[in-house]
Amino acid sequence: MLQSNKITALYCRLSQEDMQAGESGSIQHQKMILQRYADEHHFLNTKFFVDDGFSGVSFEREGLQAMLQEVEAGRVATVITKDLSRLGRNYLKTGELIEIVFPENGVRYIAINDGVDTAREDNEFTPLRNWFNEFYARDTSKKIRAVKQAQAQKGERVNGEYPYGYIPDPNNRHHLIPDPETAPIVKQVFAMFVSGVRMCEIQKWLAENKVLTIGALRYQRTGQARYQRAMIAPYTWPDKTLYDILARQEYLGHTITAKTHKVSYKSKKTRKNEEEQRYFFPNTHEPLVDEETFELAQKRIATRHRPTKAAEIDIFPACCFALVADIRCITNRA
């Protein structure tokens, strides 16, 4: 493939924190700067790759991954960003792209505002700039975490999520009100479960009545891409989702905050906090189930038996020992 036929990838990224910078940091402003630079320096066959509303710490970005697929396929000659932080704020991964991935695929990288151009030999300060970009992300993460902790201590919802069956009060987003569409579903699931209906029958009822799963419903309501995959099986409710609903104290009208924490500001993975690390606020909104129904559900959940592989392996030896003991007993009697 001739160099002139290859793509000039113009990459734009904007995070929630960057939006505070106003129009100067907007996607449209970045596009204007990148296209003008490409035109003035005669970079041909330009193509935009965009991630709007994504942190630079994570590299699991749709636009970035699409661009890297083109890079690895050998279809990109040059990658241009407004500055290094647009490419990423993770020191190690950004450095890997600039110093390994791009050179191995014959890609020239340019960060306009930082004066970085890998076609030159004067990029010694690029790793230092990447480190400062990560330091900024780390500092921002600490500040956000402190704000969220303070909100959690006041009983405010900090992640924008809310339990299935509720919606935010239009007059106060931290207050929940029953969702007319899904609150009856929660009540029906509890009623069926405590009456002894098997989980597979509850799932069958949900599918027959075309009740959208939580992810499918959120995709239908918001159109957000991260829920799009749920539309592959929009009426197939996993066991875990239903058991999680049956165990949520929010359906008693209580608020529990600080349930989880992030492993690291560089990771999307979360871990559950211990009970003593959580904050409990009773009677904050209208309950969907009463105490008796909820307790009955917990008792039935507690009786579930899910043998581990070790337990399954031990079943046969245990039976053998019991059989041997019986034989010995019969022999002794004889």
Side-chain angles (χ1 to χ4, degrees), residues 16-17 143-163 168 172-176 226 248 250 255-262 270 273 277 279 281:
Q16 297 293 332
E17 293 76 30
K143 292 176 181 176
I144 292 173
R145 188 163 62 248
V147 170
K148 288 187 174 182
Q149 181 74 5
Q151 290 177 322
Q153 290 172 344
K154 294 190 292 184
E156 297 179 353
R157 313 196 71 80
V158 298
N159 60 2
E161 301 288 343
Y162 43 86
N172 179 5
R173 66 185 181 88
H174 296 297
H175 180 249
L176 300 178
R226 61 174 170 161
R248 292 199 73 155
E250 284 90 340
T255 293
I256 301 94
T257 60
K259 286 185 175 183
T260 62
H261 67 277
K262 275 192 173 183
T270 59
N273 286 330
Q277 295 176 304
Y279 303 103
F281 303 88

Side-chain angles (χ1 to χ4, degrees), residues 27-247:
I27 292 295
Q28 291 305 317
H29 188 71
Q30 289 182 53
K31 283 185 173 182
M32 181 185 70
I33 291 174
L34 295 177
Q35 190 62 63
R36 183 172 60 198
Y37 183 91
D39 292 342
E40 290 176 355
H41 293 79
H42 310 292
F43 287 101
L44 306 176
N45 197 18
T46 58
K47 181 178 179 180
F48 284 103
F49 296 87
V50 178
D51 284 309
D52 195 350
F54 287 84
S55 169
V57 173
S58 170
F59 274 58
E60 296 303 315
R61 303 175 233 143
E62 190 174 327
L64 178 65
Q65 291 303 319
M67 182 182 76
L68 292 179
Q69 287 179 9
E70 295 291 330
V71 167
E72 291 170 0
R75 292 191 285 266
V76 177
T78 308
V79 171
I80 307 176
T81 62
K82 178 187 171 189
D83 51 54
L84 280 167
S85 68
R86 296 308 94 201
L87 187 62
R89 291 188 184 277
N90 183 313
Y91 169 73
L92 294 176
K93 290 191 175 182
T94 304
E96 182 182 10
L97 287 182
I98 297 172
E99 297 181 25
I100 300 175
V101 176
F102 290 163
E104 285 184 350
N105 290 279
V107 174
R108 176 183 180 183
Y109 173 66
I110 298 171
I112 300 171
N113 289 355
D114 290 324
V116 174
D117 185 345
T118 56
R120 302 196 307 262
E121 298 295 328
D122 58 349
N123 297 296
E124 291 83 359
F125 289 103
T126 298
L128 186 61
R129 290 192 183 100
N130 284 330
W131 185 85
F132 274 114
N133 286 330
E134 180 170 324
F135 179 81
Y136 173 84
R138 184 184 303 166
D139 185 58
T140 301
S141 176
K142 286 182 180 179
K143 292 176 181 176
I144 292 173
R145 188 163 62 248
V147 170
K148 288 187 174 182
Q149 181 74 5
Q151 290 177 322
Q153 290 172 344
K154 294 190 292 184
E156 297 179 353
R157 313 196 71 80
V158 298
N159 60 2
E161 301 288 343
Y162 43 86
Y164 179 81
Y166 289 104
I167 54 175
D169 186 335
N171 299 317
N172 179 5
R173 66 185 181 88
H174 296 297
H175 180 249
L176 300 178
I177 58 176
D179 182 350
E181 182 180 350
T182 59
I185 303 300
V186 173
K187 294 178 181 179
Q188 181 66 17
V189 168
F190 268 94
M192 294 175 74
F193 187 72
V194 299
S195 67
V197 177
R198 293 183 302 169
M199 186 57 72
C200 61
E201 292 298 320
I202 296 175
Q203 291 168 315
K204 182 179 178 182
W205 179 85
L206 291 166
E208 288 176 347
N209 287 274
K210 296 189 183 304
V211 178
L212 291 171
T213 62
I214 296 175
L217 180 66
R218 286 182 177 166
Y219 178 71
Q220 184 188 74
R221 291 181 173 180
T222 67
Q224 292 184 15
R226 61 174 170 161
Y227 301 118
Q228 190 171 6
R229 293 182 63 183
M231 298 306 293
I232 297 172
Y235 309 118
T236 303
W237 285 74
D239 286 14
K240 184 181 183 304
T241 301
L242 292 171
Y243 281 118
D244 285 347
I245 286 175
L246 291 164

